[in-house]
Amino acid sequence: MIVQLRQSFFQVFTMSLLWVVLLLTLFYKEETVGIGYLWNVAGIAAICGVLFGVMYKALWSHFTLKPVWNILISSVLSIGGAMLGTNLFSAEMYGMLLPWLPGMIAVSLVLHTLAFYGYARIDSRKRAEELNHRLKQQA
């Protein structure tokens, strides 16, 4: 499990790093980026790697918490990571988003709930088909 989570972290970290660098090159063509800001970009990629490469995979695939805890933990950490990443990208943008935080938390809870129950429904359907297929093979 540790090897899988480490590999997933580095995959997400690398793709996030490339994505943020692409955004910087598209939207800040005329500006120079200082070496200190590159640490912010690496921080954003690390946040994405921890959230999407480790936390989500561990929370939804390996931990055996009740669904309400999975939803609450993933929603809070997702919003926290997004706000921290936004602050690292642009303090001005962070200030603009801060008043919208209660709404973002509510939307995050709703979307994580829908995603969890949708995923659970699809997963149970796949497992039922797999079991039916095995039963047919044995008969």
Side-chain angles (χ1 to χ4, degrees):
M1 178 176 94
I2 298 296
V3 172
Q4 181 186 19
L5 292 177
R6 186 182 308 137
Q7 180 182 8
S8 181
F9 168 81
F10 282 111
Q11 286 175 346
V12 175
F13 176 86
T14 303
M15 292 308 295
S16 300
L17 185 66
L18 293 173
W19 177 252
V20 175
V21 169
L22 175 70
L23 290 176
L24 286 172
T25 57
L26 290 175
F27 294 109
Y28 297 101
K29 291 178 185 176
E30 306 300 320
E31 296 181 34
T32 58
V33 176
I35 194 74
Y37 191 76
L38 292 178
W39 286 109
N40 288 6
V41 173
I44 294 167
I47 291 167
C48 290
V50 168
L51 282 176
F52 301 116
V54 177
M55 190 270 305
Y56 273 106
K57 187 174 282 277
L59 196 60
W60 299 103
S61 300
H62 300 293
F63 293 164
T64 55
L65 301 172
K66 292 184 178 182
V68 68
W69 288 111
N70 280 355
I71 292 166
L72 284 173
I73 291 168
S74 60
S75 292
V76 168
L77 291 179
S78 179
I79 290 294
M83 292 303 286
L84 183 58
T86 303
N87 193 22
L88 287 173
F89 189 79
S90 168
E92 183 181 333
M93 187 184 303
Y94 175 81
M96 289 171 39
L97 288 178
L98 204 53
W100 297 91
L101 189 60
M104 290 188 305
I105 292 171
V107 169
S108 179
L109 285 168
V110 168
L111 292 177
H112 277 93
T113 302
L114 291 173
F116 173 77
Y117 286 109
Y119 174 77
R121 185 174 178 189
I122 291 169
D123 189 49
S124 65
R125 199 176 293 158
K126 278 184 188 178
R127 290 177 188 235
E129 288 175 9
E130 183 181 322
L131 287 172
N132 287 334
H133 181 69
R134 287 185 183 181
L135 287 173
K136 286 180 185 178
Q137 286 179 339
Q138 289 179 352

Short mmCIF file of all heavy atoms in Angstrom, two decimals, residues 52-98:
data_model
loop_
_atom_site.label_atom_id
_atom_site.label_comp_id
_atom_site.label_asym_id
_atom_site.label_seq_id
_atom_site.Cartn_x
_atom_site.Cartn_y
_atom_site.Cartn_z
N PHE A 52 -4.75 14.43 -3.68
CA PHE A 52 -5.33 13.55 -4.69
C PHE A 52 -4.55 12.25 -4.88
O PHE A 52 -5.13 11.26 -5.32
CB PHE A 52 -5.45 14.30 -6.02
CG PHE A 52 -6.30 15.53 -5.91
CD1 PHE A 52 -5.76 16.78 -6.11
CD2 PHE A 52 -7.64 15.43 -5.59
CE1 PHE A 52 -6.53 17.93 -5.99
CE2 PHE A 52 -8.42 16.57 -5.47
CZ PHE A 52 -7.87 17.82 -5.67
N GLY A 53 -3.27 12.26 -4.59
CA GLY A 53 -2.47 11.06 -4.76
C GLY A 53 -2.46 10.16 -3.56
O GLY A 53 -2.35 8.94 -3.68
N VAL A 54 -2.57 10.74 -2.37
CA VAL A 54 -2.47 9.93 -1.15
C VAL A 54 -3.80 9.92 -0.39
O VAL A 54 -4.38 8.87 -0.14
CB VAL A 54 -1.33 10.45 -0.24
CG1 VAL A 54 -1.28 9.67 1.06
CG2 VAL A 54 0.00 10.38 -0.96
N MET A 55 -4.28 11.12 -0.01
CA MET A 55 -5.43 11.19 0.88
C MET A 55 -6.68 10.56 0.28
O MET A 55 -7.32 9.72 0.92
CB MET A 55 -5.70 12.66 1.26
CG MET A 55 -6.71 12.86 2.36
SD MET A 55 -8.44 13.04 1.90
CE MET A 55 -8.44 14.36 0.75
N TYR A 56 -7.04 10.95 -0.94
CA TYR A 56 -8.25 10.38 -1.53
C TYR A 56 -8.12 8.88 -1.73
O TYR A 56 -9.04 8.12 -1.41
CB TYR A 56 -8.57 11.05 -2.87
CG TYR A 56 -9.39 12.30 -2.75
CD1 TYR A 56 -8.82 13.55 -2.94
CD2 TYR A 56 -10.73 12.24 -2.44
CE1 TYR A 56 -9.57 14.71 -2.83
CE2 TYR A 56 -11.50 13.39 -2.33
CZ TYR A 56 -10.90 14.62 -2.53
OH TYR A 56 -11.66 15.75 -2.41
N LYS A 57 -6.99 8.44 -2.25
CA LYS A 57 -6.81 7.01 -2.49
C LYS A 57 -6.86 6.22 -1.18
O LYS A 57 -7.53 5.19 -1.11
CB LYS A 57 -5.49 6.77 -3.21
CG LYS A 57 -5.30 5.34 -3.66
CD LYS A 57 -4.06 5.18 -4.50
CE LYS A 57 -4.24 5.67 -5.89
NZ LYS A 57 -4.85 4.76 -6.82
N ALA A 58 -6.20 6.71 -0.15
CA ALA A 58 -6.22 6.01 1.14
C ALA A 58 -7.60 6.07 1.77
O ALA A 58 -8.10 5.07 2.29
CB ALA A 58 -5.18 6.62 2.08
N LEU A 59 -8.21 7.22 1.73
CA LEU A 59 -9.51 7.42 2.38
C LEU A 59 -10.60 6.55 1.75
O LEU A 59 -11.39 5.93 2.46
CB LEU A 59 -9.89 8.90 2.31
CG LEU A 59 -10.99 9.39 3.22
CD1 LEU A 59 -10.64 9.15 4.68
CD2 LEU A 59 -11.22 10.88 3.00
N TRP A 60 -10.64 6.50 0.43
CA TRP A 60 -11.74 5.82 -0.24
C TRP A 60 -11.43 4.35 -0.54
O TRP A 60 -12.35 3.56 -0.72
CB TRP A 60 -12.12 6.54 -1.53
CG TRP A 60 -12.57 7.93 -1.26
CD1 TRP A 60 -11.85 9.07 -1.45
CD2 TRP A 60 -13.83 8.34 -0.73
NE1 TRP A 60 -12.58 10.16 -1.06
CE2 TRP A 60 -13.80 9.75 -0.62
CE3 TRP A 60 -14.98 7.67 -0.33
CZ2 TRP A 60 -14.88 10.49 -0.14
CZ3 TRP A 60 -16.04 8.42 0.14
CH2 TRP A 60 -15.98 9.81 0.24
N SER A 61 -10.15 3.97 -0.60
CA SER A 61 -9.83 2.59 -0.97
C SER A 61 -9.29 1.75 0.18
O SER A 61 -9.47 0.53 0.17
CB SER A 61 -8.79 2.58 -2.10
OG SER A 61 -9.29 3.25 -3.23
N HIS A 62 -8.62 2.35 1.14
CA HIS A 62 -7.94 1.56 2.16
C HIS A 62 -8.52 1.71 3.56
O HIS A 62 -8.48 0.77 4.34
CB HIS A 62 -6.45 1.90 2.18
CG HIS A 62 -5.77 1.64 0.87
ND1 HIS A 62 -5.60 0.37 0.36
CD2 HIS A 62 -5.23 2.48 -0.05
CE1 HIS A 62 -4.98 0.43 -0.79
NE2 HIS A 62 -4.74 1.70 -1.07
N PHE A 63 -9.01 2.88 3.91
CA PHE A 63 -9.55 3.08 5.25
C PHE A 63 -10.97 2.54 5.32
O PHE A 63 -11.67 2.48 4.32
CB PHE A 63 -9.55 4.55 5.64
CG PHE A 63 -8.17 5.15 5.81
CD1 PHE A 63 -8.01 6.51 5.83
CD2 PHE A 63 -7.05 4.35 5.94
CE1 PHE A 63 -6.76 7.08 5.98
CE2 PHE A 63 -5.80 4.90 6.09
CZ PHE A 63 -5.65 6.27 6.12
N THR A 64 -11.40 2.16 6.51
CA THR A 64 -12.74 1.60 6.68
C THR A 64 -13.57 2.48 7.62
O THR A 64 -14.14 2.00 8.60
CB THR A 64 -12.66 0.16 7.23
OG1 THR A 64 -11.90 0.18 8.44
CG2 THR A 64 -12.02 -0.77 6.24
N LEU A 65 -13.60 3.76 7.31
CA LEU A 65 -14.41 4.68 8.10
C LEU A 65 -15.84 4.67 7.60
O LEU A 65 -16.12 4.24 6.47
CB LEU A 65 -13.84 6.10 7.99
CG LEU A 65 -12.40 6.30 8.46
CD1 LEU A 65 -11.93 7.70 8.10
CD2 LEU A 65 -12.28 6.06 9.94
N LYS A 66 -16.75 5.18 8.41
CA LYS A 66 -18.13 5.32 7.98
C LYS A 66 -18.19 6.37 6.85
O LYS A 66 -17.38 7.29 6.82
CB LYS A 66 -19.01 5.76 9.14
CG LYS A 66 -19.16 4.69 10.18
CD LYS A 66 -20.10 5.12 11.27
CE LYS A 66 -20.25 3.99 12.28
NZ LYS A 66 -21.19 4.32 13.33
N PRO A 67 -19.16 6.25 5.95
CA PRO A 67 -19.24 7.18 4.82
C PRO A 67 -19.29 8.65 5.24
O PRO A 67 -18.69 9.50 4.59
CB PRO A 67 -20.53 6.78 4.11
CG PRO A 67 -20.72 5.34 4.45
CD PRO A 67 -20.15 5.18 5.83
N VAL A 68 -19.99 8.96 6.32
CA VAL A 68 -20.09 10.36 6.74
C VAL A 68 -18.72 10.92 7.09
O VAL A 68 -18.41 12.08 6.79
CB VAL A 68 -21.11 10.53 7.89
CG1 VAL A 68 -20.62 9.87 9.17
CG2 VAL A 68 -21.43 11.99 8.12
N TRP A 69 -17.86 10.11 7.71
CA TRP A 69 -16.51 10.58 8.05
C TRP A 69 -15.65 10.75 6.81
O TRP A 69 -14.89 11.70 6.70
CB TRP A 69 -15.85 9.63 9.05
CG TRP A 69 -16.45 9.76 10.40
CD1 TRP A 69 -17.21 8.84 11.05
CD2 TRP A 69 -16.39 10.91 11.26
NE1 TRP A 69 -17.62 9.34 12.27
CE2 TRP A 69 -17.13 10.61 12.42
CE3 TRP A 69 -15.79 12.16 11.16
CZ2 TRP A 69 -17.27 11.51 13.47
CZ3 TRP A 69 -15.93 13.05 12.21
CH2 TRP A 69 -16.66 12.72 13.34
N ASN A 70 -15.77 9.80 5.87
CA ASN A 70 -15.04 9.96 4.60
C ASN A 70 -15.43 11.25 3.90
O ASN A 70 -14.57 11.98 3.39
CB ASN A 70 -15.32 8.78 3.67
CG ASN A 70 -14.52 7.56 4.01
OD1 ASN A 70 -13.66 7.58 4.88
ND2 ASN A 70 -14.79 6.47 3.32
N ILE A 71 -16.71 11.53 3.87
CA ILE A 71 -17.20 12.73 3.20
C ILE A 71 -16.72 13.98 3.92
O ILE A 71 -16.24 14.93 3.28
CB ILE A 71 -18.74 12.68 3.09
CG1 ILE A 71 -19.16 11.57 2.13
CG2 ILE A 71 -19.31 14.02 2.67
CD1 ILE A 71 -20.62 11.20 2.19
N LEU A 72 -16.84 14.01 5.24
CA LEU A 72 -16.40 15.19 6.00
C LEU A 72 -14.90 15.43 5.88
O LEU A 72 -14.45 16.55 5.63
CB LEU A 72 -16.79 15.05 7.47
CG LEU A 72 -18.25 15.27 7.80
CD1 LEU A 72 -18.53 14.93 9.26
CD2 LEU A 72 -18.65 16.70 7.51
N ILE A 73 -14.12 14.36 6.06
CA ILE A 73 -12.66 14.51 5.99
C ILE A 73 -12.23 14.96 4.60
O ILE A 73 -11.42 15.88 4.46
CB ILE A 73 -11.97 13.18 6.39
CG1 ILE A 73 -12.17 12.91 7.87
CG2 ILE A 73 -10.49 13.21 6.04
CD1 ILE A 73 -11.77 11.51 8.30
N SER A 74 -12.76 14.32 3.57
CA SER A 74 -12.35 14.68 2.22
C SER A 74 -12.80 16.10 1.85
O SER A 74 -12.05 16.83 1.19
CB SER A 74 -12.86 13.67 1.19
OG SER A 74 -14.26 13.61 1.20
N SER A 75 -13.97 16.50 2.29
CA SER A 75 -14.44 17.86 1.99
C SER A 75 -13.59 18.92 2.67
O SER A 75 -13.17 19.89 2.04
CB SER A 75 -15.90 18.03 2.42
OG SER A 75 -16.74 17.24 1.64
N VAL A 76 -13.33 18.73 3.96
CA VAL A 76 -12.56 19.72 4.71
C VAL A 76 -11.13 19.81 4.19
O VAL A 76 -10.60 20.91 3.95
CB VAL A 76 -12.59 19.39 6.22
CG1 VAL A 76 -11.58 20.21 6.98
CG2 VAL A 76 -13.98 19.61 6.79
N LEU A 77 -10.49 18.66 3.98
CA LEU A 77 -9.11 18.68 3.49
C LEU A 77 -9.02 19.22 2.06
O LEU A 77 -8.07 19.90 1.70
CB LEU A 77 -8.49 17.29 3.59
CG LEU A 77 -8.21 16.80 5.00
CD1 LEU A 77 -7.62 15.40 4.98
CD2 LEU A 77 -7.31 17.75 5.77
N SER A 78 -10.02 18.92 1.26
CA SER A 78 -10.03 19.42 -0.12
C SER A 78 -10.15 20.94 -0.15
O SER A 78 -9.39 21.62 -0.87
CB SER A 78 -11.19 18.77 -0.88
OG SER A 78 -11.24 19.25 -2.19
N ILE A 79 -11.08 21.48 0.61
CA ILE A 79 -11.23 22.93 0.66
C ILE A 79 -10.00 23.58 1.29
O ILE A 79 -9.50 24.60 0.82
CB ILE A 79 -12.51 23.33 1.43
CG1 ILE A 79 -13.75 22.95 0.62
CG2 ILE A 79 -12.54 24.82 1.74
CD1 ILE A 79 -13.92 23.70 -0.69
N GLY A 80 -9.49 22.99 2.36
CA GLY A 80 -8.28 23.53 2.99
C GLY A 80 -7.09 23.53 2.03
O GLY A 80 -6.35 24.52 1.94
N GLY A 81 -6.90 22.44 1.31
CA GLY A 81 -5.81 22.36 0.34
C GLY A 81 -5.99 23.34 -0.81
O GLY A 81 -5.03 23.96 -1.27
N ALA A 82 -7.23 23.48 -1.26
CA ALA A 82 -7.51 24.42 -2.35
C ALA A 82 -7.23 25.85 -1.92
O ALA A 82 -6.64 26.64 -2.68
CB ALA A 82 -8.96 24.28 -2.81
N MET A 83 -7.63 26.20 -0.71
CA MET A 83 -7.40 27.56 -0.23
C MET A 83 -5.91 27.82 0.00
O MET A 83 -5.40 28.89 -0.32
CB MET A 83 -8.20 27.83 1.04
CG MET A 83 -9.70 27.86 0.82
SD MET A 83 -10.25 29.06 -0.41
CE MET A 83 -10.04 30.57 0.50
N LEU A 84 -5.21 26.84 0.55
CA LEU A 84 -3.77 26.99 0.74
C LEU A 84 -3.04 27.10 -0.60
O LEU A 84 -2.16 27.95 -0.76
CB LEU A 84 -3.22 25.81 1.55
CG LEU A 84 -1.74 25.85 1.90
CD1 LEU A 84 -1.41 27.11 2.70
CD2 LEU A 84 -1.36 24.62 2.68
N GLY A 85 -3.43 26.29 -1.56
CA GLY A 85 -2.85 26.37 -2.89
C GLY A 85 -3.14 27.70 -3.56
O GLY A 85 -2.27 28.28 -4.22
N THR A 86 -4.35 28.20 -3.38
CA THR A 86 -4.70 29.51 -3.93
C THR A 86 -3.88 30.61 -3.29
O THR A 86 -3.41 31.52 -3.97
CB THR A 86 -6.21 29.79 -3.73
OG1 THR A 86 -6.97 28.74 -4.32
CG2 THR A 86 -6.61 31.11 -4.34
N ASN A 87 -3.66 30.52 -1.99
CA ASN A 87 -2.84 31.51 -1.30
C ASN A 87 -1.40 31.47 -1.79
O ASN A 87 -0.76 32.51 -1.94
CB ASN A 87 -2.90 31.29 0.21
CG ASN A 87 -2.34 32.46 0.98
OD1 ASN A 87 -2.27 33.58 0.48
ND2 ASN A 87 -1.95 32.21 2.21
N LEU A 88 -0.88 30.28 -2.06
CA LEU A 88 0.47 30.17 -2.59
C LEU A 88 0.56 30.72 -4.01
O LEU A 88 1.56 31.29 -4.40
CB LEU A 88 0.94 28.70 -2.58
CG LEU A 88 1.28 28.12 -1.21
CD1 LEU A 88 1.54 26.63 -1.34
CD2 LEU A 88 2.46 28.84 -0.60
N PHE A 89 -0.49 30.56 -4.79
CA PHE A 89 -0.51 31.04 -6.16
C PHE A 89 -0.64 32.55 -6.21
O PHE A 89 0.09 33.24 -6.92
CB PHE A 89 -1.64 30.38 -6.96
CG PHE A 89 -1.60 30.66 -8.43
CD1 PHE A 89 -0.72 29.97 -9.24
CD2 PHE A 89 -2.43 31.61 -9.00
CE1 PHE A 89 -0.66 30.21 -10.60
CE2 PHE A 89 -2.39 31.87 -10.35
CZ PHE A 89 -1.50 31.16 -11.16
N SER A 90 -1.61 33.08 -5.44
CA SER A 90 -1.85 34.52 -5.45
C SER A 90 -2.59 34.92 -4.17
O SER A 90 -3.73 34.51 -3.96
CB SER A 90 -2.69 34.91 -6.67
OG SER A 90 -3.15 36.23 -6.56
N ALA A 91 -1.94 35.75 -3.36
CA ALA A 91 -2.57 36.22 -2.12
C ALA A 91 -3.78 37.08 -2.43
O ALA A 91 -4.77 37.07 -1.69
CB ALA A 91 -1.56 37.00 -1.28
N GLU A 92 -3.74 37.81 -3.53
CA GLU A 92 -4.87 38.64 -3.93
C GLU A 92 -6.08 37.78 -4.28
O GLU A 92 -7.21 38.08 -3.89
CB GLU A 92 -4.48 39.51 -5.13
CG GLU A 92 -5.55 40.45 -5.59
CD GLU A 92 -5.10 41.28 -6.80
OE1 GLU A 92 -3.89 41.50 -6.96
OE2 GLU A 92 -6.00 41.68 -7.57
N MET A 93 -5.85 36.70 -5.01
CA MET A 93 -6.93 35.79 -5.37
C MET A 93 -7.50 35.11 -4.13
O MET A 93 -8.72 34.94 -4.00
CB MET A 93 -6.42 34.73 -6.35
CG MET A 93 -7.50 33.84 -6.92
SD MET A 93 -6.87 32.53 -7.99
CE MET A 93 -5.97 33.42 -9.22
N TYR A 94 -6.63 34.76 -3.18
CA TYR A 94 -7.07 34.17 -1.92
C TYR A 94 -8.00 35.12 -1.18
O TYR A 94 -9.05 34.70 -0.67
CB TYR A 94 -5.84 33.83 -1.06
CG TYR A 94 -6.19 33.32 0.31
CD1 TYR A 94 -6.55 31.99 0.50
CD2 TYR A 94 -6.14 34.15 1.42
CE1 TYR A 94 -6.86 31.51 1.76
CE2 TYR A 94 -6.45 33.67 2.68
CZ TYR A 94 -6.81 32.36 2.85
OH TYR A 94 -7.13 31.89 4.09
N GLY A 95 -7.63 36.39 -1.13
CA GLY A 95 -8.47 37.39 -0.47
C GLY A 95 -9.84 37.53 -1.14
O GLY A 95 -10.84 37.76 -0.46
N MET A 96 -9.87 37.39 -2.46
CA MET A 96 -11.15 37.48 -3.17
C MET A 96 -12.03 36.26 -2.90
O MET A 96 -13.26 36.37 -2.86
CB MET A 96 -10.90 37.60 -4.68
CG MET A 96 -10.32 38.94 -5.09
SD MET A 96 -9.77 39.04 -6.82
CE MET A 96 -11.00 38.15 -7.71
N LEU A 97 -11.41 35.09 -2.68
CA LEU A 97 -12.18 33.86 -2.47
C LEU A 97 -12.63 33.66 -1.02
O LEU A 97 -13.59 32.94 -0.77
CB LEU A 97 -11.36 32.65 -2.90
CG LEU A 97 -11.15 32.44 -4.38
CD1 LEU A 97 -10.27 31.22 -4.63
CD2 LEU A 97 -12.48 32.28 -5.09
N LEU A 98 -11.93 34.26 -0.09
CA LEU A 98 -12.21 34.03 1.33
C LEU A 98 -13.66 34.28 1.74
O LEU A 98 -14.23 33.47 2.49
CB LEU A 98 -11.25 34.86 2.19
CG LEU A 98 -11.00 34.36 3.60
CD1 LEU A 98 -10.57 32.90 3.61
CD2 LEU A 98 -9.96 35.22 4.28
#
